PDB file of all heavy atoms in Angstrom:
ATOM      1  N   TYR A 659     -14.423   4.140   0.396  1.00  0.00           N
ATOM      2  CA  TYR A 659     -13.510   5.284   0.408  1.00  0.00           C
ATOM      3  C   TYR A 659     -14.192   6.536  -0.153  1.00  0.00           C
ATOM      4  O   TYR A 659     -13.651   7.647   0.004  1.00  0.00           O
ATOM      5  CB  TYR A 659     -12.237   4.970  -0.402  1.00  0.00           C
ATOM      6  CG  TYR A 659     -11.253   4.187   0.408  1.00  0.00           C
ATOM      7  CD1 TYR A 659     -10.974   2.869   0.152  1.00  0.00           C
ATOM      8  CD2 TYR A 659     -10.606   4.780   1.488  1.00  0.00           C
ATOM      9  CE1 TYR A 659     -10.070   2.141   0.901  1.00  0.00           C
ATOM     10  CE2 TYR A 659      -9.697   4.061   2.255  1.00  0.00           C
ATOM     11  CZ  TYR A 659      -9.441   2.770   1.953  1.00  0.00           C
ATOM     12  OH  TYR A 659      -8.555   2.052   2.731  1.00  0.00           O
ATOM     13  N   LEU A 665      -9.892   7.152   8.662  1.00  0.00           N
ATOM     14  CA  LEU A 665      -8.687   7.149   9.485  1.00  0.00           C
ATOM     15  C   LEU A 665      -8.925   7.639  10.892  1.00  0.00           C
ATOM     16  O   LEU A 665      -9.813   8.451  11.135  1.00  0.00           O
ATOM     17  CB  LEU A 665      -7.624   8.037   8.841  1.00  0.00           C
ATOM     18  CG  LEU A 665      -7.092   7.543   7.480  1.00  0.00           C
ATOM     19  CD1 LEU A 665      -6.424   8.672   6.726  1.00  0.00           C
ATOM     20  CD2 LEU A 665      -6.155   6.392   7.699  1.00  0.00           C
ATOM     21  N   PHE A 671      -9.479   2.564  11.118  1.00  0.00           N
ATOM     22  CA  PHE A 671      -8.072   2.190  11.333  1.00  0.00           C
ATOM     23  C   PHE A 671      -7.211   3.446  11.503  1.00  0.00           C
ATOM     24  O   PHE A 671      -7.627   4.527  11.174  1.00  0.00           O
ATOM     25  CB  PHE A 671      -7.561   1.297  10.205  1.00  0.00           C
ATOM     26  CG  PHE A 671      -7.629   1.921   8.840  1.00  0.00           C
ATOM     27  CD1 PHE A 671      -6.580   2.614   8.318  1.00  0.00           C
ATOM     28  CD2 PHE A 671      -8.806   1.791   8.087  1.00  0.00           C
ATOM     29  CE1 PHE A 671      -6.633   3.182   7.059  1.00  0.00           C
ATOM     30  CE2 PHE A 671      -8.867   2.367   6.792  1.00  0.00           C
ATOM     31  CZ  PHE A 671      -7.798   3.076   6.294  1.00  0.00           C
ATOM     32  N   THR A 673      -3.124   4.978  10.826  1.00  0.00           N
ATOM     33  CA  THR A 673      -1.937   4.715  10.047  1.00  0.00           C
ATOM     34  C   THR A 673      -0.692   5.371  10.652  1.00  0.00           C
ATOM     35  O   THR A 673      -0.827   6.286  11.476  1.00  0.00           O
ATOM     36  CB  THR A 673      -2.124   5.226   8.613  1.00  0.00           C
ATOM     37  OG1 THR A 673      -2.364   6.614   8.681  1.00  0.00           O
ATOM     38  CG2 THR A 673      -3.268   4.531   7.893  1.00  0.00           C
ATOM     39  N   PRO A 675       1.573   7.628   9.725  1.00  0.00           N
ATOM     40  CA  PRO A 675       1.759   9.111   9.830  1.00  0.00           C
ATOM     41  C   PRO A 675       0.813   9.773  10.837  1.00  0.00           C
ATOM     42  O   PRO A 675       1.124  10.850  11.351  1.00  0.00           O
ATOM     43  CB  PRO A 675       1.469   9.616   8.413  1.00  0.00           C
ATOM     44  CG  PRO A 675       0.809   8.499   7.696  1.00  0.00           C
ATOM     45  CD  PRO A 675       1.214   7.243   8.365  1.00  0.00           C
ATOM     46  N   GLU A 676      -0.299   9.095  11.167  1.00  0.00           N
ATOM     47  CA  GLU A 676      -1.212   9.658  12.161  1.00  0.00           C
ATOM     48  C   GLU A 676      -0.738   9.329  13.574  1.00  0.00           C
ATOM     49  O   GLU A 676      -1.207   9.885  14.551  1.00  0.00           O
ATOM     50  CB  GLU A 676      -2.624   9.117  11.979  1.00  0.00           C
ATOM     51  CG  GLU A 676      -3.218   9.331  10.573  1.00  0.00           C
ATOM     52  CD  GLU A 676      -3.391  10.822  10.228  1.00  0.00           C
ATOM     53  OE1 GLU A 676      -3.547  11.629  11.143  1.00  0.00           O
ATOM     54  OE2 GLU A 676      -3.347  11.126   9.007  1.00  0.00           O
ATOM     55  N   GLU A 706       2.264  10.900  -4.298  1.00  0.00           N
ATOM     56  CA  GLU A 706       1.821  10.027  -3.230  1.00  0.00           C
ATOM     57  C   GLU A 706       0.599   9.275  -3.684  1.00  0.00           C
ATOM     58  O   GLU A 706      -0.348   9.841  -4.244  1.00  0.00           O
ATOM     59  CB  GLU A 706       1.503  10.825  -1.935  1.00  0.00           C
ATOM     60  CG  GLU A 706       1.183   9.838  -0.803  1.00  0.00           C
ATOM     61  CD  GLU A 706       0.992  10.479   0.539  1.00  0.00           C
ATOM     62  OE1 GLU A 706       0.933  11.742   0.628  1.00  0.00           O
ATOM     63  OE2 GLU A 706       0.888   9.721   1.542  1.00  0.00           O
ATOM     64  N   LEU A 707       0.615   7.964  -3.468  1.00  0.00           N
ATOM     65  CA  LEU A 707      -0.556   7.139  -3.800  1.00  0.00           C
ATOM     66  C   LEU A 707      -1.381   6.957  -2.537  1.00  0.00           C
ATOM     67  O   LEU A 707      -0.866   6.472  -1.522  1.00  0.00           O
ATOM     68  CB  LEU A 707      -0.102   5.740  -4.293  1.00  0.00           C
ATOM     69  CG  LEU A 707       0.923   5.686  -5.409  1.00  0.00           C
ATOM     70  CD1 LEU A 707       1.202   4.224  -5.808  1.00  0.00           C
ATOM     71  CD2 LEU A 707       0.465   6.477  -6.642  1.00  0.00           C
ATOM     72  N   GLY A 708      -2.631   7.390  -2.569  1.00  0.00           N
ATOM     73  CA  GLY A 708      -3.512   7.252  -1.404  1.00  0.00           C
ATOM     74  C   GLY A 708      -3.001   8.076  -0.235  1.00  0.00           C
ATOM     75  O   GLY A 708      -2.383   7.589   0.700  1.00  0.00           O
ATOM     76  N   SER A 709      -3.250   9.398  -0.275  1.00  0.00           N
ATOM     77  CA  SER A 709      -2.572  10.327   0.661  1.00  0.00           C
ATOM     78  C   SER A 709      -3.291  10.500   1.958  1.00  0.00           C
ATOM     79  O   SER A 709      -2.859  11.358   2.757  1.00  0.00           O
ATOM     80  CB  SER A 709      -2.424  11.688  -0.007  1.00  0.00           C
ATOM     81  OG  SER A 709      -1.889  11.502  -1.304  1.00  0.00           O
ATOM     82  N   GLY A 710      -4.395   9.792   2.215  1.00  0.00           N
ATOM     83  CA  GLY A 710      -5.064   9.908   3.505  1.00  0.00           C
ATOM     84  C   GLY A 710      -5.428  11.369   3.824  1.00  0.00           C
ATOM     85  O   GLY A 710      -5.983  12.064   2.997  1.00  0.00           O
ATOM     86  N   LEU A 714       1.244  12.592   6.040  1.00  0.00           N
ATOM     87  CA  LEU A 714       2.603  12.107   5.660  1.00  0.00           C
ATOM     88  C   LEU A 714       3.278  13.123   4.785  1.00  0.00           C
ATOM     89  O   LEU A 714       4.449  13.492   5.022  1.00  0.00           O
ATOM     90  CB  LEU A 714       2.439  10.759   4.936  1.00  0.00           C
ATOM     91  CG  LEU A 714       3.680   9.866   4.728  1.00  0.00           C
ATOM     92  CD1 LEU A 714       3.246   8.506   4.228  1.00  0.00           C
ATOM     93  CD2 LEU A 714       4.692  10.450   3.798  1.00  0.00           C
ATOM     94  N   VAL A 737      -2.462  10.856  -5.971  1.00  0.00           N
ATOM     95  CA  VAL A 737      -3.391   9.923  -6.577  1.00  0.00           C
ATOM     96  C   VAL A 737      -4.354   9.510  -5.456  1.00  0.00           C
ATOM     97  O   VAL A 737      -3.976   8.812  -4.521  1.00  0.00           O
ATOM     98  CB  VAL A 737      -2.661   8.665  -7.140  1.00  0.00           C
ATOM     99  CG1 VAL A 737      -3.642   7.685  -7.742  1.00  0.00           C
ATOM    100  CG2 VAL A 737      -1.625   9.108  -8.176  1.00  0.00           C
ATOM    101  N   GLU A 738      -5.600   9.956  -5.564  1.00  0.00           N
ATOM    102  CA  GLU A 738      -6.500   9.805  -4.441  1.00  0.00           C
ATOM    103  C   GLU A 738      -7.924   9.636  -4.944  1.00  0.00           C
ATOM    104  O   GLU A 738      -8.370  10.407  -5.778  1.00  0.00           O
ATOM    105  CB  GLU A 738      -6.397  11.040  -3.541  1.00  0.00           C
ATOM    106  CG  GLU A 738      -7.385  11.077  -2.392  1.00  0.00           C
ATOM    107  CD  GLU A 738      -7.329   9.826  -1.494  1.00  0.00           C
ATOM    108  OE1 GLU A 738      -6.253   9.569  -0.930  1.00  0.00           O
ATOM    109  OE2 GLU A 738      -8.322   9.090  -1.433  1.00  0.00           O
ATOM    110  N   THR A 739      -8.635   8.682  -4.387  1.00  0.00           N
ATOM    111  CA  THR A 739      -9.974   8.397  -4.847  1.00  0.00           C
ATOM    112  C   THR A 739     -11.042   9.089  -4.023  1.00  0.00           C
ATOM    113  O   THR A 739     -12.153   9.323  -4.516  1.00  0.00           O
ATOM    114  CB  THR A 739     -10.232   6.856  -4.841  1.00  0.00           C
ATOM    115  OG1 THR A 739     -11.440   6.611  -5.438  1.00  0.00           O
ATOM    116  CG2 THR A 739     -10.211   6.292  -3.424  1.00  0.00           C
ATOM    117  N   SER A 740     -10.745   9.424  -2.766  1.00  0.00           N
ATOM    118  CA  SER A 740     -11.793   9.893  -1.855  1.00  0.00           C
ATOM    119  C   SER A 740     -11.959  11.406  -1.924  1.00  0.00           C
ATOM    120  O   SER A 740     -11.023  12.147  -1.639  1.00  0.00           O
ATOM    121  CB  SER A 740     -11.433   9.473  -0.414  1.00  0.00           C
ATOM    122  OG  SER A 740     -12.060  10.329   0.493  1.00  0.00           O
ATOM    123  N   LEU A 743     -11.197  12.980   1.514  1.00  0.00           N
ATOM    124  CA  LEU A 743      -9.766  13.019   1.860  1.00  0.00           C
ATOM    125  C   LEU A 743      -9.029  14.009   0.972  1.00  0.00           C
ATOM    126  O   LEU A 743      -8.086  14.637   1.390  1.00  0.00           O
ATOM    127  CB  LEU A 743      -9.168  11.608   1.783  1.00  0.00           C
ATOM    128  CG  LEU A 743      -9.612  10.669   2.896  1.00  0.00           C
ATOM    129  CD1 LEU A 743      -9.086   9.262   2.697  1.00  0.00           C
ATOM    130  CD2 LEU A 743      -9.226  11.196   4.276  1.00  0.00           C
ATOM    131  N   GLN A 747      -6.514  16.834   2.306  1.00  0.00           N
ATOM    132  CA  GLN A 747      -5.183  17.000   1.741  1.00  0.00           C
ATOM    133  C   GLN A 747      -4.983  18.443   1.253  1.00  0.00           C
ATOM    134  O   GLN A 747      -3.914  19.038   1.457  1.00  0.00           O
ATOM    135  CB  GLN A 747      -4.962  16.017   0.573  1.00  0.00           C
ATOM    136  CG  GLN A 747      -4.948  14.556   1.007  1.00  0.00           C
ATOM    137  CD  GLN A 747      -5.338  13.585  -0.054  1.00  0.00           C
ATOM    138  OE1 GLN A 747      -5.287  13.897  -1.281  1.00  0.00           O
ATOM    139  NE2 GLN A 747      -5.731  12.383   0.315  1.00  0.00           N
ATOM    140  N   ASP A 760      -6.787  10.548 -10.621  1.00  0.00           N
ATOM    141  CA  ASP A 760      -7.518   9.317 -10.302  1.00  0.00           C
ATOM    142  C   ASP A 760      -6.666   8.095 -10.443  1.00  0.00           C
ATOM    143  O   ASP A 760      -6.902   7.073  -9.812  1.00  0.00           O
ATOM    144  CB  ASP A 760      -8.752   9.191 -11.232  1.00  0.00           C
ATOM    145  CG  ASP A 760      -9.790  10.242 -10.936  1.00  0.00           C
ATOM    146  OD1 ASP A 760      -9.925  10.617  -9.742  1.00  0.00           O
ATOM    147  OD2 ASP A 760     -10.418  10.718 -11.891  1.00  0.00           O
ATOM    148  N   ASN A 775       2.056   4.657   1.308  1.00  0.00           N
ATOM    149  CA  ASN A 775       1.909   3.986   2.606  1.00  0.00           C
ATOM    150  C   ASN A 775       0.469   3.483   2.751  1.00  0.00           C
ATOM    151  O   ASN A 775      -0.483   4.264   2.645  1.00  0.00           O
ATOM    152  CB  ASN A 775       2.219   4.966   3.727  1.00  0.00           C
ATOM    153  CG  ASN A 775       2.188   4.269   5.096  1.00  0.00           C
ATOM    154  OD1 ASN A 775       2.898   3.293   5.309  1.00  0.00           O
ATOM    155  ND2 ASN A 775       1.307   4.735   5.990  1.00  0.00           N
ATOM    156  N   GLU A 776       0.334   2.220   3.018  1.00  0.00           N
ATOM    157  CA  GLU A 776      -1.019   1.592   3.149  1.00  0.00           C
ATOM    158  C   GLU A 776      -1.928   1.906   1.988  1.00  0.00           C
ATOM    159  O   GLU A 776      -3.094   2.211   2.139  1.00  0.00           O
ATOM    160  CB  GLU A 776      -1.662   2.001   4.473  1.00  0.00           C
ATOM    161  CG  GLU A 776      -0.974   1.383   5.668  1.00  0.00           C
ATOM    162  CD  GLU A 776      -1.912   1.156   6.852  1.00  0.00           C
ATOM    163  OE1 GLU A 776      -3.077   0.782   6.613  1.00  0.00           O
ATOM    164  OE2 GLU A 776      -1.485   1.353   7.991  1.00  0.00           O
ATOM    165  N   PHE A 777      -1.370   1.872   0.776  1.00  0.00           N
ATOM    166  CA  PHE A 777      -2.190   2.060  -0.428  1.00  0.00           C
ATOM    167  C   PHE A 777      -2.489   0.698  -1.056  1.00  0.00           C
ATOM    168  O   PHE A 777      -3.663   0.390  -1.343  1.00  0.00           O
ATOM    169  CB  PHE A 777      -1.429   2.940  -1.420  1.00  0.00           C
ATOM    170  CG  PHE A 777      -2.086   3.020  -2.777  1.00  0.00           C
ATOM    171  CD1 PHE A 777      -3.218   3.760  -2.979  1.00  0.00           C
ATOM    172  CD2 PHE A 777      -1.541   2.308  -3.850  1.00  0.00           C
ATOM    173  CE1 PHE A 777      -3.849   3.815  -4.223  1.00  0.00           C
ATOM    174  CE2 PHE A 777      -2.133   2.366  -5.117  1.00  0.00           C
ATOM    175  CZ  PHE A 777      -3.280   3.119  -5.294  1.00  0.00           C
ATOM    176  N   ALA A 780      -5.300  -1.712  -0.051  1.00  0.00           N
ATOM    177  CA  ALA A 780      -6.686  -1.329  -0.349  1.00  0.00           C
ATOM    178  C   ALA A 780      -7.076  -1.657  -1.791  1.00  0.00           C
ATOM    179  O   ALA A 780      -8.230  -1.373  -2.184  1.00  0.00           O
ATOM    180  CB  ALA A 780      -6.874   0.173  -0.094  1.00  0.00           C
ATOM    181  N   LEU A 781      -6.184  -2.256  -2.536  1.00  0.00           N
ATOM    182  CA  LEU A 781      -6.562  -2.592  -3.916  1.00  0.00           C
ATOM    183  C   LEU A 781      -7.118  -4.020  -3.962  1.00  0.00           C
ATOM    184  O   LEU A 781      -6.725  -4.878  -3.159  1.00  0.00           O
ATOM    185  CB  LEU A 781      -5.345  -2.450  -4.839  1.00  0.00           C
ATOM    186  CG  LEU A 781      -4.773  -1.040  -4.936  1.00  0.00           C
ATOM    187  CD1 LEU A 781      -3.733  -0.950  -6.042  1.00  0.00           C
ATOM    188  CD2 LEU A 781      -5.837   0.028  -5.136  1.00  0.00           C
TER     189      LEU A 781
HETATM  190  N1  LIG B  60      -1.299   6.932   3.068  1.00  0.00           N
HETATM  191  C1  LIG B  60      -2.240   7.420   4.047  1.00  0.00           C
HETATM  192  C2  LIG B  60      -3.651   6.806   3.898  1.00  0.00           C
HETATM  193  C3  LIG B  60      -3.733   5.313   3.867  1.00  0.00           C
HETATM  194  S1  LIG B  60      -5.429   4.762   3.701  1.00  0.00           S
HETATM  195  C4  LIG B  60      -1.730   7.204   5.420  1.00  0.00           C
HETATM  196  O1  LIG B  60      -0.718   6.555   5.564  1.00  0.00           O
HETATM  197  O2  LIG B  60      -2.335   7.693   6.371  1.00  0.00           O
HETATM  198  C5  LIG B  60      -5.587   4.400   1.991  1.00  0.00           C
HETATM  199  C6  LIG B  60      -5.589   5.656   1.132  1.00  0.00           C
HETATM  200  O3  LIG B  60      -5.685   5.236  -0.251  1.00  0.00           O
HETATM  201  C7  LIG B  60      -6.784   6.559   1.358  1.00  0.00           C
HETATM  202  O4  LIG B  60      -6.363   7.893   1.150  1.00  0.00           O
HETATM  203  C8  LIG B  60      -7.742   6.125   0.265  1.00  0.00           C
HETATM  204  O5  LIG B  60      -8.720   7.063  -0.032  1.00  0.00           O
HETATM  205  C9  LIG B  60      -6.802   5.865  -0.864  1.00  0.00           C
HETATM  206  N2  LIG B  60      -7.249   4.915  -1.895  1.00  0.00           N
HETATM  207  C10 LIG B  60      -7.792   3.704  -1.696  1.00  0.00           C
HETATM  208  N3  LIG B  60      -8.027   3.095  -2.868  1.00  0.00           N
HETATM  209  C11 LIG B  60      -7.592   3.935  -3.838  1.00  0.00           C
HETATM  210  C12 LIG B  60      -7.572   3.870  -5.257  1.00  0.00           C
HETATM  211  N4  LIG B  60      -8.019   2.803  -5.918  1.00  0.00           N
HETATM  212  N5  LIG B  60      -7.048   4.942  -5.935  1.00  0.00           N
HETATM  213  C13 LIG B  60      -6.615   6.020  -5.262  1.00  0.00           C
HETATM  214  N6  LIG B  60      -6.610   6.124  -3.918  1.00  0.00           N
HETATM  215  C14 LIG B  60      -7.129   5.106  -3.214  1.00  0.00           C
END
Side-chain angles (χ1 to χ4, degrees):
Y659 279 110
L665 295 162
F671 58 93
T673 59
E676 304 298 334
E706 186 174 9
L707 309 182
S709 312
L714 194 170
V737 178
E738 175 56 60
T739 188
S740 156
L743 289 175
Q747 293 155 21
D760 292 325
N775 184 57
E776 289 209 39
F777 171 75
L781 298 190

